[in-house]
């Protein structure tokens, strides 16, 4: 029996006035200046509470007014909040924190760290702060942006992650010990996003340092996922990085997959890489064909396309913003308005929302102050100027302050139904949620620069233009200046052009003699030989050869986190 999506009448009615950009409850559009100041006050209440009660731990526990380490032991909230300080205009605190991080953060520690989280929060945060240092009045060293203490810290952190990529498939483990590498008993099962969310940070790092290893491993991981897609063009949720076999076969745009799609688009824009964009557009066709029902996106079985979970996850709310980046504004607005109705129903987005029933899913009723819907509002407001998007920003400020604000910061909302709180303030609240809210209400912020102003900087490779706009946000909302990628490689590119000409010359000679070898490349990057060799999206895929490497034992773990199991439970109860 085919699946039928039934939208609750209350949701349908709530959607109608929004489509026409209806004003707020008091009949007026939100005042950007007023809410800009409200957002700034939110930031400092959270930031000051962290400094007073939690530093040098990773994150604040707002209900007990103390701190704890979560993703390593990096003073993570300080790294995550650094570029937000500059966006809010606080250059003196930015300068102070740069000194604090240089003197206190050490990556040579015996800690098991998430490869994904360390990359997006630590490497991404340090790279962004490095590239914004001159704008923040930091006295940069000679050779900047091709050198600098924050860049060296980012490189050191990234090198600690490289052992995770040493697998038969080139897809990384999910966890690495910063001192010893991958633990012998580490599970080989990694989520799709944990494999495909490196190209923005690692390509930036390779461009600034001149070491291609970072971009190389990121590209191999991306292409291995591309080669692992099903015949109908979908990828699952978790995969074994040793065998390349899918462990959880639910396909969707949300948790466990989300930033893989995001980085195909953002990587394509950052690197001007047509191949990455072509890959995303192919995925986009399959997503529309199999997972889209109306203006909602469901979870389906990756090989058959049959619905496995008719739910909306809060992490999926980034999708309208991503659609705006490829110019699909109409569909983006329709989906955004659906998600906004859920926000209005609860005063936040529950982690899982049962679409047919129009209510939360058991044990997934919380809202940890995630940024994704606000992120999409920011992108869409830049594209359309629709006041409805400012209304979402207003609603977010009012809800978060009313429900989540406590004496020591802002607490995760454990249950949106009764507004119970949890004792955690994730670092992304300062890195993303507050930042996107502020940028939504601050149309003249330097981040929104349209190229009318810029800085000319002299580097060892010649003159470099920076700060002209077009910033690419990584998935932790750390802005990367795309122009910086061209500041440190001009001589390398000139050398590469000569090498390309020589290769072309000898290739022509060989072809005339009846011999020509076909190679695959993408711009200046050439794939390594062996297990990491890539194929383009237009070439036929070959099944990887069976690995002779012995499989690592998978430690006992609760499998409720796997969407395949959640999907089955959900369908049984429905």
């Amino acid at each position: 029996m085919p699946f039928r999506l039934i939208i609750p009448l209350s949701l349908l009615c709530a959607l109608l006035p929004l489509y026409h950009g209806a004003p707020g409850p008091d009949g007026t559009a939100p005042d950007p200046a007023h809410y800009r100041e409200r957002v700034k006050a939110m930031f400092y209440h959270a930031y000051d509470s962290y400094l007073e009660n939690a530093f040098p731990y990773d994150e604040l526990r707002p209900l007990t007014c103390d701190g704890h380490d979560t993703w390593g032991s990096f003073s993570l909230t300080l790294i995550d909040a650094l570029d937000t300080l500059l966006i809010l205009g606080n250059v003196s605190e930015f300068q102070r924190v740069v000194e604090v991080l240089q003197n206190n953060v050490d990556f040579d520690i015996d800690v098991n760290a998430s490869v994904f989280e360390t990359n997006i929060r630590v490497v991404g945060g340090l790279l962004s702060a490095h590239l914004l240092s001159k704008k923040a009045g930091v006295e940069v060293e000679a050779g900047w942006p091709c050198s600098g203490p924050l860049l060296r810290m980012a490189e050191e952190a990234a090198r600690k992650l490289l052992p995770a990529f040493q697998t038969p498939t080139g897809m990384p483990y999910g966890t690495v010990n910063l001192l010893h590498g991958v633990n012998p008993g580490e599970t080989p099962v990694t989520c799709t996003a944990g494999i495909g969310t490196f190209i923005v940070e690692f390509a930036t790092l390779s461009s600034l340092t001149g070491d291609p290893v970072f971009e190389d491993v990121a590209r191999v991981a991306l292409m291995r996922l591309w080669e692992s897609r099903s015949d109908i063009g979908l990828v699952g949720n978790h995969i074994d990085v040793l065998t390349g076999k899918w462990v959880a076969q639910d396909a969707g745009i949300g948790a466990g997959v989300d930033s893989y799609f995001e980085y195909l688009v953002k990587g394509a824009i950052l690197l001007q890489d047509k191949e990455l964009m072509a890959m995303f557009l192919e995925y986009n066709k399959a997503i529309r064909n199999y997972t889209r029902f109306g203006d909602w996106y469901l979870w389906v079985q990756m090989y058959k396309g049959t619905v496995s979970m008719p739910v909306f996850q809060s992490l999926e709310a980034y999708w309208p913003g991503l659609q705006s980046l490829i110019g699909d504004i109409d569909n983006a607005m329709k989906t955004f308005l659906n998600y906004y109705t859920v926000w209005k129903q609860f005063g936040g987005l529950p982690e899982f929302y049962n679409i047919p029933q129009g209510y939360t899913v058991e044990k997934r009723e919380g809202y940890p102050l995630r940024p994704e819907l606000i992120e999409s509002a920011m992108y869409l407001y830049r594209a359309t100027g629709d006041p409805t998007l400012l209304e979402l920003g207003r609603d977010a400020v009012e809800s978060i302050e009313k429900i989540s604000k406590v004496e020591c910061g802002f607490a995760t909302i454990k249950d949106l139904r009764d507004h119970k709180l949890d004792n955690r303030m994730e670092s992304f609240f300062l890195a993303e949620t507050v930042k996107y809210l502020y940028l939504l209400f601050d149309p003249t912020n330097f981040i929104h620069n349209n190229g009318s102003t810029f800085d000319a900087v002299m580097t060892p490779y010649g003159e470099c233009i920076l700060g002209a706009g077009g910033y690419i946000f990584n998935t932790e909302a750390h802005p990367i200046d795309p122009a910086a990628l061209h500041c440190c490689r001009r001589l390398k590119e000139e050398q590469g052009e000569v090498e390309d000409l020589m290769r072309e010359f000898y290739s022509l000679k060989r072809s005339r003699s009846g011999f020509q070898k076909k190679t695959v490349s993408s711009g200046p990057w050439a794939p390594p030989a062996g297990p990491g060799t890539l194929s383009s999206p237009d070439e036929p895929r070959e099944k990887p050869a069976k690995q002779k490497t012995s499989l690592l034992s998978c430690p006992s773990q609760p499998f409720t986190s796997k969407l395949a199991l959640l999907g089955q439970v959900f369908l049984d109860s429905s």
Side-chain angles (χ1 to χ4, degrees):
M1 183 176 181
F3 175 80
R4 296 179 63 191
L5 182 62
I6 303 172
I7 306 297
L9 184 60
S10 60
L11 278 183
L12 186 60
C13 293
L15 188 60
L16 295 177
L18 289 175
Y19 225 105
H20 302 286
D26 59 355
T28 61
D31 176 18
H34 169 76
Y35 279 98
R36 192 161 59 240
E37 293 307 309
R38 292 271 299 276
V39 173
K40 186 179 289 189
M42 288 172 60
F43 173 85
Y44 284 113
H45 178 64
Y47 180 75
D48 292 344
S49 294
Y50 167 77
L51 290 180
E52 293 168 9
N53 300 285
F55 177 78
Y57 291 102
D58 279 341
E59 292 180 337
L60 170 69
R61 296 202 302 177
L63 300 184
T64 52
C65 297
D66 57 12
H68 62 152
D69 284 333
T70 50
W71 296 111
S73 186
F74 314 123
S75 300
L76 188 59
T77 295
L78 212 53
I79 295 175
D80 249 354
L82 186 50
D83 50 31
T84 309
L85 284 167
L86 182 60
I87 286 172
L88 268 58
N90 194 339
V91 296
S92 60
E93 182 64 3
F94 183 101
Q95 295 169 12
R96 187 191 73 83
V97 172
V98 167
E99 291 292 330
V100 170
L101 292 176
Q102 291 180 56
N103 296 329
N104 291 278
V105 176
D106 180 14
F107 299 115
D108 197 23
I109 52 178
D110 188 5
V111 167
N112 295 325
S114 164
V115 180
F116 169 83
E117 299 289 353
T118 304
N119 176 56
I120 67 171
R121 303 193 195 209
V122 178
V123 178
L126 292 171
L127 283 174
S128 175
H130 165 72
L131 293 175
L132 294 172
S133 291
K134 197 173 195 304
K135 188 173 189 64
V138 174
E139 187 175 343
V140 298
E141 66 184 41
W144 181 91
C146 310
S147 65
L150 294 179
L151 177 60
R152 287 189 286 274
M153 289 177 68
E155 182 180 5
E156 181 186 0
R159 287 197 186 280
K160 294 288 187 178
L161 306 180
L162 290 179
F165 291 83
Q166 295 174 6
T167 65
T169 63
M171 295 186 285
Y173 285 95
T175 304
V176 67
N177 184 281
L178 299 183
L179 197 60
H180 304 296
V182 177
N183 291 319
E186 184 60 46
T187 174
V189 177
T190 307
C191 70
T192 304
I195 293 167
T197 309
F198 293 92
I199 191 66
V200 170
E201 297 85 1
F202 276 29
T204 300
L205 199 53
S206 284
S207 295
L208 295 178
T209 64
D211 189 340
V213 65
F214 303 105
E215 183 173 348
D216 286 356
V217 298
R219 284 188 178 272
V220 169
L222 281 177
M223 292 302 294
R224 283 294 178 249
L225 284 175
W226 171 255
E227 293 165 355
S228 300
R229 69 198 187 281
S230 69
D231 290 339
I232 61 174
L234 297 173
V235 289
N237 194 265
H238 284 75
I239 195 169
D240 188 312
V241 300
L242 297 180
T243 66
K245 293 182 179 179
W246 290 102
V247 175
Q249 298 179 2
D250 295 280
I253 60 172
V257 185
D258 47 5
S259 52
Y260 169 47
F261 296 138
E262 178 186 355
Y263 271 41
L264 288 176
V265 173
K266 291 182 175 179
I269 298 171
L270 181 69
L271 304 172
Q272 295 297 289
D273 190 312
K274 294 180 180 178
E275 184 180 28
L276 294 182
M277 185 60 78
M279 289 161 63
F280 174 78
L281 293 176
E282 282 300 310
Y283 278 130
N284 197 33
K285 290 178 186 176
I287 288 166
R288 287 200 309 265
N289 288 339
Y290 294 101
T291 77
R292 183 178 176 180
F293 291 79
D295 295 313
W296 297 94
Y297 293 84
L298 312 183
W299 289 85
V300 302
Q301 212 281 340
M302 66 175 288
Y303 293 104
K304 301 176 182 178
T306 53
V307 174
S308 61
M309 264 201 306
V311 300
F312 157 62
Q313 300 175 343
S314 61
L315 284 169
E316 297 172 15
Y318 79 98
W319 189 255
L322 195 65
Q323 287 177 302
S324 76
L325 289 178
I326 62 170
D328 192 5
I329 303 299
D330 288 343
N331 285 320
M333 279 299 295
K334 291 175 183 177
T335 299
F336 173 86
L337 292 173
N338 273 356
Y339 298 167
Y340 188 15
T341 61
V342 179
W343 180 288
K344 292 167 77 72
Q345 185 178 355
F346 296 100
L349 290 185
E351 293 287 68
F352 279 34
Y353 180 81
N354 181 321
I355 298 172
Q357 295 177 10
Y359 207 62
T360 60
V361 175
E362 186 179 358
K363 297 182 180 180
R364 293 294 185 273
E365 305 94 347
Y367 171 56
L369 311 183
R370 291 196 187 279
E372 282 76 17
L373 189 61
I374 302 162
E375 172 188 359
S376 286
M378 189 274 290
Y379 278 116
L380 285 168
Y381 187 68
R382 297 297 300 171
T384 68
D386 190 326
T388 302
L389 300 156
L390 294 181
E391 292 170 21
L392 177 276
R394 173 203 62 205
D395 292 350
V397 172
E398 300 293 349
S399 293
I400 291 171
E401 284 201 332
K402 180 179 179 181
I403 303 171
S404 178
K405 187 176 182 180
V406 294
E407 182 181 352
C408 296
F410 292 86
T412 287
I413 302 171
K414 186 176 183 179
D415 193 326
L416 280 166
R417 299 170 302 175
D418 57 17
H419 295 173
K420 288 181 180 177
L421 300 178
D422 205 358
N423 194 19
R424 186 171 185 185
M425 187 180 80
E426 293 255 17
S427 70
F428 61 63
F429 178 66
L430 295 179
E432 300 184 76
T433 308
V434 172
K435 182 183 293 163
Y436 284 131
L437 273 173
Y438 192 81
L439 290 173
L440 175 63
F441 291 118
D442 189 14
T444 61
N445 196 279
F446 76 88
I447 287 290
H448 298 316
N449 186 9
N450 62 3
S452 57
T453 61
F454 57 87
D455 297 317
V457 179
M458 289 303 300
T459 77
Y461 306 100
E463 188 176 65
C464 174
I465 301 299
L466 290 173
Y471 292 91
I472 302 297
F473 289 98
N474 85 335
T475 197
E476 190 77 1
H478 295 304
I480 301 296
D481 187 341
L485 274 67
H486 304 279
C487 289
C488 309
R489 64 185 188 190
R490 187 171 301 170
L491 294 181
K492 301 182 187 69
E493 287 184 347
E494 289 174 357
Q495 180 182 356
E497 289 174 3
V498 172
E499 293 173 352
D500 288 344
L501 287 172
M502 294 296 292
R503 277 195 293 267
E504 183 178 352
F505 172 74
Y506 285 112
S507 176
L508 286 171
K509 288 186 67 176
R510 285 194 297 269
S511 64
R512 287 171 183 167
S513 63
F515 172 79
Q516 186 173 16
K517 184 179 180 181
K518 183 179 180 181
T519 60
V520 178
S521 64
S522 176
W525 179 84
T533 304
L534 314 182
S535 63
S536 76
D538 295 325
E539 290 184 338
R541 289 174 286 150
E542 296 181 1
K543 293 184 178 179
K546 291 184 178 179
Q547 303 295 342
K548 297 180 180 179
T549 309
S550 59
L551 298 181
L552 298 181
S553 59
C554 207
S556 173
Q557 58 179 328
F559 216 73
T560 54
S561 61
K562 299 291 183 285
L563 286 178
L565 263 289
L566 281 174
Q568 189 60 52
V569 170
F570 186 91
L571 289 175
D572 287 346
S573 64
S574 63

